[in-house]
Structure formats: structure tokens, C-alpha cells
Amino acid sequence: MKKLLLLLLSSITLTLHAQEPQKGNFDYPITKKTSNPLFVEFDSPMYGSDEIGPLYTADPSAHVWTIDGKEELYLYASHDMAPHRGCDRMDRYHVFSTEDMVHWTDHGEILNADDVREQGGWGIEGFMWAPDCAYNPADETYYFYFPHPDYAPDGSHIWHIGVATSKFPDRDFKVVGWVEGAPSLIDPCVFVDDDGQPYIYNGGGAKCYGGKLRKDDWTKLDGDMKPMEGLVDFHEATWIHKYKGRYYLSHSDNNNFRDGNQMKYAVSDSPLGPWKDMGIYMYPTGVETNHGSIVEFRGKWYAFYHTGNYSGIGALRSVCFDPIEHDRKGRLQIVRNYGNPYRNKWPVIGSNRKHVTVQAEHYNDGGYHYAYFKHRDARPGNAPAYQPTDEPMGISTANGITYINDLTKGEWVRYSVKVKEAGRYDIVCTMATAADGTKFHLCVNGHNKSGEVKLDSSGWYPIELRGIELQAGEQYLDFRIDSGRLDFDRMEIISEHTE
Ligand code: FUB
């Protein structure tokens, strides 16, 4: 996201002349059954036009509010607009709620960049990035915090943490100003401790700050915000939750410059640190950014995040969630958003199993988003480049060979394996292509381990991926297609030093 911040500074004049955002003409609230990736069944106006497309959401901030005696999960999200221009057309926020994690209500737009200019007299077009919301029982008011750029007195641009308030969690938010004194950084998070003390955090580009809000005025700091100490490889997307009396600060790491952000966390006995780094709780999901929130709802813990697993595009993201667990020592377990092996049987490699064959059609169970990504034709009038289908992968049999046919650009397919011994393995894939310039890469637990692999002849032939490093334990292998068309028959995983 650092790249985007730099881009923002250089492209600001362009964005000022962008077209007026469309508000859409929908009759909210709208309730639908939806599953990962969430909310794409809801319609959204596209940026600067009257066309309708899927609703893309990012940066989920999940809270459980008790309303009329009933617990409901509310989700505040930013809104990726199609057609995208990086993240700079994100000019509005939607709020969603659910009682059962299956049926979700879209309450519609709660604030946009125009509102900030009209009601607050500040701000520029677009750039309504990752928000958060907090409820103050003392004044029965919801406080919505949003990062948004404005002009500094010297004409440069700075980020404010804007505040809008309402008596309702899902409507009537009015801009009341910004948090004076907060550093010019993105991604606010407000955590309210059990004693009612609100804390505010923000951060980006490797800096994370935290401080107290005034108990009697949740729009103002109580003292200065200070750098959070002890975090390792912090990028952005701060989120705080409390578990068994300890504070957990989760955030994205800087792996966006390689394969995509991983989600990490650190713990402390105090809401403002110092923090002890505890490592990763989610692997990269195939797009540059990730942004999470962790929340308990009706006795279960959930990790919210976003992926590009609907559009195939990193700037047209969709919010997702999966269960997350703390182990007996309070350590967060890796979120299982990668399916399970075919028929729940892990191919085992290493130790006395030096050579394992996995048939391509035996990809992970769990379906689309967890185990594969496949396109279908775009809906009419609805321009995004890719749209997935939840049909299984295309399987063909010819000349006694059963294989996955015709994997195309952006598609991927996943295989979980169990590795007995960490080490380097050769992975020999039997593949074919009918198109020039067919390329793919292999990711292990979301990390590109093969670099670009090119297929340069037709007919079945072995592609040797030499010395792929595998850690011990469960690992998942994604074959991600970068261009062309690829048929995939099988892979053999071979311990490097034994064959
Ligand atoms: O969505 C815009 C920005 O991308 C957010 O503020 C970051 O957390 C990253 O998700």
C-alpha cells in the first residue's frame, strides 16, 4: 500500500477532476444469503456511470452490537469501485449486518467523499479507505472513524482520521470533524476496553501509532498518540481484540511487495504495548493487500479479511470470513482458508516416502475460493475482466489420461500435502498447452516458489520445478496461471536427494 500512497501524492490532481460518484438508486436494506467471497450478489453502481456491477468490498471492520436486546454482527467495509484505478476510486462506505453469518443485510451507503466535503468542508474525491466504528454507551452514539486525505496548510496532502456520528449503527452518520493530533496515517482502529476507556490506533508504511481517546469526547485525543513498540514487519491494517485479559494487535506485513500481505499479530498485557510479535495467522491470498478484523460472535471467533477471489483483480476485492481459534496458550492458529485435501487424505511426502504422485483432478475439497478459482463469462453490462464460477474444474479424459483442461489466466488450483521432513523437493508436473506464451507459477502457502514457468511445446511433457523448499507439516501448493491455456495431468513430488 506504500506504493499506493506514493501514487496518491503524484496523481492527486487527476483525482480532483474525477467524475461525481453515483449514489445508486437502491431500496435498502436488502438481505441475501451470501458466502465467501461475500456481497458480490449485491448490486452496486459502477464508478462514474449508471451501469450496475457486483458490490466489491474491502477492509472489513466487524463489531458485535446488542440492539434491542439482540446481538448482531455489524460489518463496516470500504468499497472498491469498478472500473478501478488502483484504490483511488474508493469513495464510499457500506455497512452490513447478520444474525447467523449466512444471511447478510446490506444497509446501503453510510458515507461518501462528497458528504465529507459538504458536511465537513474538507477532503478530496475518492480515497475513503479502511474505516472502523465504535459505540459509546454513555451518549448512546456510534462513532465512525475513516481515513481520508485533505489539503495541509502548505498545499500538500495529509491524511485525517475523520469522525462521523449517529444514533444508529447503519444510517444517519454526519461528519463532525477529525481527530486532531493523530499522525497523518491511514487505517484507524478504535478499541474500547472493559472499563470503557477508548483507544485509537492508526498506521501505514511501517508506522503504527496508538493512544487514548478522551472518555468524555470520543472525537478527541487524551494525550499524544505514540509509536507502538515491539511490532515486527508492520505494514498497515491495525486491529485490536482482547482474549482472556490479553491484548492482541493484528496487522498486515510487508509481504505485499512480494506475494501479497500476510496477516500477523502481537500480544501485550497493556492496550498500548509494548508488543510481543507472535507471527502469522493468515498466509497471502494472491492479491497485494489484506486487511483483517477478529471478533467473537455467539461463542465463536471469526477472522474477517479480503481477497480478489471474485474479480481476480487486486483492487476489486471482496470481504471474506472464516473461523479462527486461540490455542490453549492463547496463540492464534493459522486461518484455514485453503480447503482440505481431496477426500480428506493428505498425500504424505518425506521420511520413507520419497516419491508421491498427485493426480491434477484430485485438487482440494472445499470448492471455489478455498480450492480453486475459475472464470465464467462476465454478466452483461458488467465490465469486470474476470468472474468466477462455482462449478468444479473442467476435467477431461483422452487416450487414457484424465486431466484438468484449459486453465486460463488468473485461474488457480490447490493441493494440500503433508511433509514429513523439511527440505527441497523436485516437483515434476505433466502438462500440455495449445497456446503460445503459456505461463504459470507455483505458490507454497501463498508464496511464489517457482518464479515464472513457461510452457513452450504442445503435447504432454514434464515440467521440472527443481528444489522447491517445503517446510514440515501441512503445506498447500497453488498452481497459478499467468497467461495462455494449460492442461494439467499430474505432479510428482520427489525428495531432491533420493532420486
Ligand atoms: O483499501 C485501501 C487500503 O488498502 C486500506 O486502507 C489498506 O488497509 C489496504 O487494504
Side-chain angles (χ1 to χ4, degrees), residues 363 367-369 372-376 388-394:
Y363 58 85
Y368 153 73
H369 167 81
Y372 61 87
F373 176 83
K374 190 181 168 201
H375 301 148
R376 67 167 178 229
T389 170
D390 49 13
E391 290 162 21
M393 279 290 171

Side-chain angles (χ1 to χ4, degrees), residues 98-345:
T98 185
E99 288 180 39
D100 59 9
M101 306 297 281
V102 175
H103 300 87
W104 288 82
T105 300
D106 179 2
H107 297 272
E109 186 181 308
I110 53 165
L111 193 73
N112 65 40
D114 269 1
D115 296 335
V116 180
R117 281 181 293 190
E118 279 160 24
Q119 298 167 16
W122 59 280
I124 66 168
E125 185 58 56
F127 297 99
M128 299 289 269
W129 283 8
D132 196 13
C133 193
Y135 177 65
N136 184 353
D139 58 6
E140 298 181 342
T141 298
Y142 293 86
Y143 288 74
F144 184 69
Y145 301 87
F146 58 96
H148 189 54
D150 188 27
Y151 298 102
D154 66 0
S156 64
H157 293 91
I158 51 168
W159 286 89
H160 289 314
I161 302 304
V163 191
T165 60
S166 172
K167 292 291 175 194
F168 306 97
D170 59 342
R171 60 186 183 279
D172 293 353
F173 280 94
K174 292 282 172 300
V175 177
V176 293
W178 66 72
V179 180
E180 288 278 1
S184 170
L185 295 170
I186 58 173
D187 292 4
C189 163
V190 171
F191 165 75
V192 185
D193 209 347
D194 301 331
D195 60 1
Q197 173 65 55
Y199 295 86
I200 186 164
Y201 307 79
N202 71 349
K207 292 180 188 152
C208 180
Y209 280 75
K212 283 183 177 173
L213 286 171
R214 269 172 51 176
K215 261 186 160 174
D216 62 344
D217 184 347
W218 288 23
T219 69
K220 293 194 169 55
L221 291 180
D222 179 356
D224 289 339
M225 288 175 75
K226 301 218 162 60
M228 295 292 90
E229 283 169 17
L231 302 177
V232 175
D233 206 17
F234 175 89
H235 183 57
E236 56 192 17
T238 310
W239 179 262
I240 305 282
H241 76 273
K242 194 172 180 181
Y243 177 75
K244 295 196 171 164
R246 296 190 90 193
Y247 301 87
Y248 288 64
L249 187 157
S250 46
H251 61 90
S252 61
D253 75 357
N254 290 295
N255 202 57
N256 54 309
F257 298 119
R258 294 179 288 272
D259 317 291
N261 294 137
Q262 305 184 97
M263 298 305 297
K264 296 193 69 183
Y265 75 106
V267 295
S268 175
D269 293 327
S270 143
L272 294 176
W275 300 94
K276 179 176 184 313
D277 178 60
M278 298 294 288
I280 287 158
Y281 75 88
M282 192 181 295
Y283 295 123
T285 66
V287 292
E288 183 184 346
T289 67
N290 202 349
H291 188 117
S293 54
I294 297 174
V295 67
E296 186 182 20
F297 182 48
R298 303 193 175 176
K300 283 194 177 152
W301 285 88
Y302 296 97
F304 284 83
Y305 57 103
H306 63 224
T307 71
N309 282 349
Y310 188 81
S311 68
I313 297 171
L316 292 178
R317 300 161 293 181
S318 296
V319 167
C320 304
F321 73 87
D322 276 292
I324 188 167
E325 283 173 19
H326 304 79
D327 73 3
R328 277 189 301 124
K329 291 188 170 166
R331 292 175 300 209
L332 287 178
Q333 304 299 286
I334 296 278
V335 173
R336 288 198 65 90
N337 55 356
Y338 44 83
N340 283 311
Y342 180 70
R343 296 196 173 155
N344 237 11
K345 285 199 187 114

